[in-house]
Amino acid sequence: MASDTLTVTDNRTGNSFELEINDGTVRAMDFRQMKASDDDFGLMTYDPAYTNTAACRSGVTYLDGEGGVLRYGGYPIEQLAEHSTFPEVAYLLYHGELPSASALESWNAELKSAAIVDPSIKAIISSFNRDAHPMGMLQAVVAALGTLHPESKEFTPEGELRDSIALIAKTATVGAWAYRHNTGQELLDPDPDLSYAANLLYMMFGDKDVDPRLEKALDVLLILHADHEQNCSTTAMRGVGSSDADAFASASSAIGALYGPLHGGANEAVLGVLNRIGTKDKVEGFVEKVKNREELLMGFGHRVYKNYDPRATIIKAAADDVFEVTGVNPLLEVAKALEATALEDDFFVSRKLYPNVDFYSGLIYEALGIPTEMFTVMFAVGRMPGWAAQWREMRNDKEQKIARPRQVYVGPDERDYAGVDAR
Ligand code: CMC
């Protein structure tokens, strides 16, 4: 039987090394023994943007990008979207198992009580410019929450759970407050009688009587965003958390990473693209621009998915339910025509570029009355359980240390000082 090892010959020296293969990986540190001379510190691996580096072992989310498969704790995303709720999925991500009925009841009660945010935070929100981007406010305020919870600097299993619940619950309140501030309205406290999704809509729009189909659609969107293994923002959460920064500081950094248009900000950018295209007859012209590298087709492509993003399939179906209540958004026709044109074009086919989660989500948010600037906030609210679960997993993984990649130095050699010499 073939052994699970890799034999590497260093042609600089002729030495051979046998490296262990575990779970389809070799250890980067095993290359350090390969030295060209005695004073050489050994080979490193070079992987800008971590395109082929597993930085952790994780049991939270399984993603098969070729097959278009996504599972949380082993459960297919399709089943969770159909049967579960966002708080239950949050429990699953954090604890690794679905809760019993009584465990879910206490989890929901804890989330509801943690959704109350200290009134001093209202003053911080009010100090932002009226047109401040809500993601900037969310990032700042989540960091500020840490100042109200100095106990979060002492890490215990109970403390990690407490801070995770606080983050999952309070992000909805703070996100809604950012919207209320933008629109010059009173900041509303959460109502414990409402579900997580209904409460989020209530704190934004002040209406407790939401159509259950819209409440369900938002809940499904939050489920679909809840985790996505080692994406850019989760890597930020883990990386910052690895320095023993508290959960709030780490989550604030993750929100910053999500803000970018290549990541969570893509949902906002997609609406910009659809609005600019405007009508179906302009789709082909836009696609030509993408092929000429004048534009990116936002909401398309993914580092890991080389197949249809399963979340996009679920969102497309949810959009139909929402439009039954709200009436069809004319941009849906543009989006569908854009998708169809791209998927028939060799530029996209040969690069395996398919719609991702952000392609259709904005259309649903818009139908729910949520303004474009708030789309990425909704993503952040949905992703918080994943960030919390991954943060806790990182903290309890004995192999993890402070995240600290290496570099290949390409700057000048040593040289003598040649500045102004102001002394
Ligand atoms: N439009 C046009 N061309 C694209 C796109 C796109 N959206 N995405 C990738 N490509 C091209 C890219 O130019 C490259 O072509 P070539 O090899 O000829 O230079 C090829 O496809 C491979 O792309 P890449 O940039 O090497 O892929 P990546 O893994 O580094 O980037 C991505 C992944 C998601 C950043 C990228 O696909 C992208 O910018 N998409 C648009 C933004 C977007 O929708 N982001 C949301 C991602 S999903 C949810 C989330 O994470 O928040």
Side-chain angles (χ1 to χ4, degrees):
M1 203 182 97
S3 72
D4 279 348
T5 59
L6 175 74
T7 303
V8 179
T9 303
D10 186 340
N11 293 320
R12 299 171 302 176
T13 57
N15 293 335
S16 269
F17 302 86
E18 195 170 336
L19 313 185
E20 265 185 48
I21 299 177
N22 284 306
D23 298 322
T25 66
V26 289
R27 295 225 163 220
M29 280 302 282
D30 284 353
F31 288 85
R32 289 287 282 277
Q33 59 185 310
M34 301 173 197
K35 301 181 180 190
S37 59
D38 282 348
D39 54 3
D40 182 4
F41 62 79
L43 276 185
M44 289 192 292
T45 54
Y46 178 60
D47 188 13
Y50 310 127
T51 53
N52 195 35
T53 291
C56 63
R57 303 170 73 83
S58 179
V60 180
T61 287
Y62 174 78
L63 206 177
D64 167 5
E66 295 292 330
V69 175
L70 175 63
R71 297 183 203 130
Y72 300 156
Y75 296 103
I77 191 67
E78 294 79 7
Q79 290 185 23
L80 293 170
E82 189 177 346
H83 300 291
S84 190
T85 59
F86 177 64
E88 189 185 45
V89 163
Y91 184 103
L92 167 67
L93 291 169
Y94 195 83
H95 292 287
E97 295 295 339
L98 285 167
S100 65
S102 65
L104 182 58
E105 202 178 315
S106 17
W107 176 256
N108 273 325
E110 283 177 82
L111 283 175
K112 284 177 184 201
S113 110
I116 298 165
V117 169
D118 193 275
S120 63
I121 294 290
K122 289 186 178 172
I124 298 180
I125 298 232
S126 308
S127 69
F128 282 99
N129 285 350
R130 191 61 80 194
D131 63 354
H133 196 288
M135 276 299 276
M137 288 193 261
L138 185 68
Q139 184 181 10
V141 170
V142 166
L145 284 174
T147 66
L148 300 173
H149 297 281
E151 71 282 3
S152 66
K153 310 248 175 321
E154 290 149 25
F155 299 103
T156 59
E158 301 75 37
E160 285 164 10
L161 178 60
R162 176 201 58 223
D163 296 340
S164 297
I165 290 175
L167 278 168
I168 296 165
K170 292 184 201 304
T171 307
T173 310
V174 171
W177 284 0
Y179 167 75
R180 298 285 288 186
H181 177 67
N182 282 153
T183 49
Q185 301 180 80
E186 181 199 351
L187 309 186
L188 297 173
D189 291 316
D191 181 335
D193 291 335
L194 299 175
S195 74
Y196 189 100
N199 207 8
L200 178 53
L201 289 171
Y202 160 65
M203 288 189 287
M204 289 177 69
F205 302 122
D207 183 4
K208 294 187 185 177
D209 193 20
V210 184
D211 187 303
R213 287 169 293 181
L214 301 184
E215 179 184 339
K216 164 98 183 36
L218 178 57
D219 196 62
V220 167
L221 278 181
L222 294 173
I223 290 174
L224 297 181
H225 285 94
D227 194 49
H228 213 232
E229 51 120 299
Q230 307 313 315
N231 53 83
C232 179
S233 55
T234 301
T235 301
M237 181 88 192
R238 280 178 171 265
V240 174
S242 76
S243 76
D244 276 354
D246 67 56
F248 299 94
S250 306
S252 170
S253 307
I255 292 168
L258 190 74
Y259 196 173
L262 296 186
H263 191 10
N267 53 16
E268 187 176 335
V270 170
L271 251 280
V273 165
L274 295 178
N275 272 312
R276 270 190 294 128
I277 296 176
T279 48
K280 272 185 353 181
D281 56 309
K282 305 263 173 50
V283 162
E284 291 211 356
F286 178 81
V287 168
E288 279 312 306
K289 282 191 179 169
V290 174
K291 289 161 64 178
N292 293 335
R293 313 275 180 175
E294 293 163 45
E295 297 263 8
L296 264 186
L297 178 44
M298 303 310 283
F300 255 68
H302 198 274
R303 171 63 57 79
V304 186
Y305 287 123
K306 300 301 166 201
N307 198 330
Y308 215 96
D309 181 337
R311 301 168 300 173
T313 314
I314 300 169
I315 289 184
K316 221 169 142 185
D320 291 333
D321 295 345
V322 170
F323 293 143
E324 227 178 78
V325 183
T326 62
V328 175
N329 183 334
L331 289 179
L332 178 66
E333 289 310 309
V334 179
K336 285 187 172 168
L338 187 52
E339 178 191 335
T341 310
L343 292 184
E344 274 173 14
D345 193 299
D346 189 55
F347 178 92
F348 299 90
V349 175
S350 63
R351 290 173 178 77
K352 298 189 177 172
L353 300 173
Y354 292 88
N356 60 49
V357 69
D358 292 321
F359 193 67
Y360 285 104
S361 63
L363 289 172
I364 301 192
Y365 291 138
E366 193 168 74
L368 294 174
I370 297 169
T372 324
E373 302 73 43
M374 279 294 290
F375 291 178
T376 317
V377 172
M378 307 308 282
F379 192 154
V381 171
R383 183 55 55 87
M384 195 53 83
W387 288 335
Q390 300 267 354
W391 169 77
R392 172 197 173 251
E393 189 182 59
M394 177 277 302
R395 291 202 54 80
N396 291 282
D397 180 346
K398 299 273 177 289
E399 283 198 299
Q400 291 294 337
K401 299 176 171 199
I402 186 167
R404 206 309 187 180
R406 304 298 300 263
Q407 67 169 11
V408 177
Y409 178 69
V410 293
D413 281 341
E414 183 179 358
R415 46 184 168 168
D416 285 330
Y417 175 76
V420 177
D421 202 354
R423 275 181 219 273

